[in-house]
Amino acid sequence: MEQPSWYLDLQLPGASTGIHAGFTSRGVVAEGNPYSGFNLCHYTGDDPGHVAACRSALLQATGGKWLVVPRQTHSTNVSVITDPGDTSLEGVDALVTTLKGMVIGVNTADCVPMVMADPVAGVIGVAHAGWRGAVNGIVPRTVERMVELGASPERIVAAMGPCICQDCFEVGDEVAGRFPKEVVKRLPGQRPHVDLPVFVARQLTESGLSPQNIALPTACTRCSPTLYFSARALGINSGRCFTFAWLS
């Protein structure tokens, strides 16, 4: 079956057969409609029928048996999915599983979405890292939960989906002050700009991942709001990109 236009492969460094990852673009967009295109997010105001149709299309495209979509709240909560019945999780920002055929994913519209996998142990994880979740530890906590299931940090590979770039991520001093100075750009007369993907990559290496096993995002959501949903460009009442993984 031909891959839909909204379905894009996410390349995990050196991942082996049986590990699959991808992310969604908006696809076909109707100008002026912040939900138009492909949207799986059920809690930002979109028509439930549209969301349900998109979820069904994703399962068909992946060949997965089940889909788990959490209700994210910029928390540091990580859930291990052990039961196909776990189809909706409140207040969760990362998922980990060893179940084959279980598509797990996170919704984002500027925050960093990430897929991680240990191909040897057969463990996958997905995480949503906005600035709050990132500084509070969602990334190392996801790695920890993967390790509990048998993963080894030295074997884990990780890739980030589209998110906001440093030039677009303007923040106040109170936010910039929570990040190390190495990821903050300060220019005279301007507000600070934070490089969130580089900060996430730094946390991954501190958690034991090898730098060559980490792939940074290849696109900025705010720079391309007709291709990807962006809360900064479209407002928070808009669709979300979905970054996902599954085992076969």
Side-chain angles (χ1 to χ4, degrees):
M1 183 179 66
E2 185 178 351
Q3 195 161 286
S5 61
W6 45 260
Y7 184 128
L8 297 160
D9 290 320
L10 185 63
Q11 300 299 322
L12 288 160
S16 62
T17 301
I19 305 288
H20 311 275
F23 61 92
T24 64
S25 68
R26 292 186 69 181
V28 179
V29 176
E31 187 176 353
N33 181 351
Y35 298 104
S36 71
F38 196 80
N39 174 46
L40 279 76
C41 190
H42 60 288
Y43 52 86
T44 59
D46 196 4
D47 174 29
H50 178 226
V51 172
C54 291
R55 293 187 180 190
S56 177
L58 181 73
L59 275 179
Q60 182 177 7
T62 60
K65 296 180 180 178
W66 309 282
L67 174 65
V68 176
V69 183
R71 169 60 167 93
Q72 300 155 212
T73 58
H74 296 276
S75 73
T76 57
N77 297 326
V78 183
S79 287
V80 176
I81 305 301
T82 59
D83 185 337
D86 294 335
T87 56
S88 181
L89 297 167
E90 296 294 315
V92 170
D93 284 81
L95 305 172
V96 174
T97 194
T98 59
L99 291 179
K100 292 184 177 181
M102 174 69 73
V103 181
I104 58 174
V106 289
N107 287 294
T108 58
D110 290 329
C111 299
V112 177
M114 182 174 46
V115 170
M116 293 182 283
D118 181 337
V120 175
V123 182
I124 58 173
V126 295
H128 156 248
W131 75 261
R132 292 178 182 83
V135 298
N136 288 325
I138 186 65
V139 174
R141 290 194 183 190
T142 306
V143 174
E144 289 169 3
R145 298 305 297 271
M146 292 179 67
V147 170
E148 290 172 5
L149 293 181
S152 168
E154 295 78 12
R155 293 193 304 257
I156 293 177
V157 295
M160 303 176 210
C163 63
I164 197 165
C165 69
Q166 184 175 30
D167 287 343
C168 288
F169 193 31
E170 181 182 86
V171 300
D173 284 319
E174 71 285 356
V175 173
R178 301 188 66 178
F179 289 87
K181 62 181 181 180
E182 292 81 7
V183 301
V184 180
K185 182 194 301 183
R186 295 181 182 271
L187 297 175
Q190 296 185 21
R191 299 179 76 195
H193 288 72
V194 170
D195 196 329
L196 193 55
V198 167
F199 178 71
V200 168
R202 175 175 172 159
Q203 289 189 313
L204 288 170
T205 58
E206 290 173 350
S207 296
L209 275 70
S210 175
Q212 62 262 31
N213 286 340
I214 303 168
L216 291 169
T218 58
C220 170
T221 47
R222 188 178 183 275
C223 286
S224 305
T226 58
L227 293 176
Y228 309 106
F229 290 108
S230 168
R232 289 212 171 195
L234 301 169
I236 59 172
N237 295 320
S238 59
R240 298 292 186 266
C241 300
F242 190 67
T243 301
F244 54 94
W246 79 100
L247 297 164
S248 64

